[in-house]
Amino acid sequence: IAMSVVSNKNSYEKNLRQLFAKLDSNQSGNVTLAEMETFLSDEVHHAQLASLEIDVRDAWSLFRLLDRDKCGVVNLEAFVQGCCNLKGSAKGIDVACVRSELKSLSR
């Protein structure tokens, strides 16, 4: 079972890397908000993300979540890691983490 999980994860990450290559239209190694907006203006690309269990409502929201260091670009590593975190629906642990972070911010 463990080997199957690792294999699935590797396959998923490979698909994300291929998607990143399509997103990075100027092949700079980084994706900008403009590149993401252009990419997501095509419904086919929405479907590609949906097939990877990533729900995208708009480019800005996705970009904001992936650009964790707020530098205005998303590199391959941040894209893959961020998409892996966004895959599927929120789990109990995700909700608990958000609650904990909100509590610490309100103190």
Side-chain angles (χ1 to χ4, degrees):
I1 295 175
M3 292 299 287
S4 176
V5 170
V6 170
S7 177
N8 288 343
K9 182 178 187 251
N10 289 340
S11 176
Y12 184 79
E13 289 178 357
K14 179 183 176 187
N15 288 334
L16 289 173
R17 286 184 181 84
Q18 291 171 343
L19 190 62
F20 182 88
K22 291 179 185 178
L23 262 162
D24 185 15
S25 60
N26 65 2
Q27 299 176 339
S28 66
N30 294 304
V31 172
T32 64
L33 176 59
E35 286 174 309
M36 188 161 293
E37 286 174 333
T38 300
F39 182 82
L40 292 175
S41 66
D42 185 340
E43 287 298 317
V44 170
H45 296 135
H46 275 270
Q48 287 177 312
L49 285 167
S51 75
L52 294 170
E53 299 181 53
I54 299 171
D55 180 21
V56 178
R57 293 200 168 78
D58 63 86
W60 169 242
S61 295
L62 177 60
F63 190 82
R64 185 174 47 89
L65 291 169
L66 296 175
D67 183 20
R68 301 193 97 181
D69 61 0
K70 308 301 180 223
C71 66
V73 295
V74 176
N75 65 23
L76 175 62
E77 181 182 330
F79 180 78
V80 171
Q81 182 180 13
C83 287
C84 284
N85 291 339
L86 294 172
K87 179 183 176 186
S89 57
K91 295 171 181 59
I93 189 77
D94 298 323
V95 174
C97 286
V98 169
R99 284 182 181 161
S100 175
E101 288 178 25
L102 286 174
K103 283 182 184 178
S104 68
L105 288 173
S106 65
R107 292 180 187 166

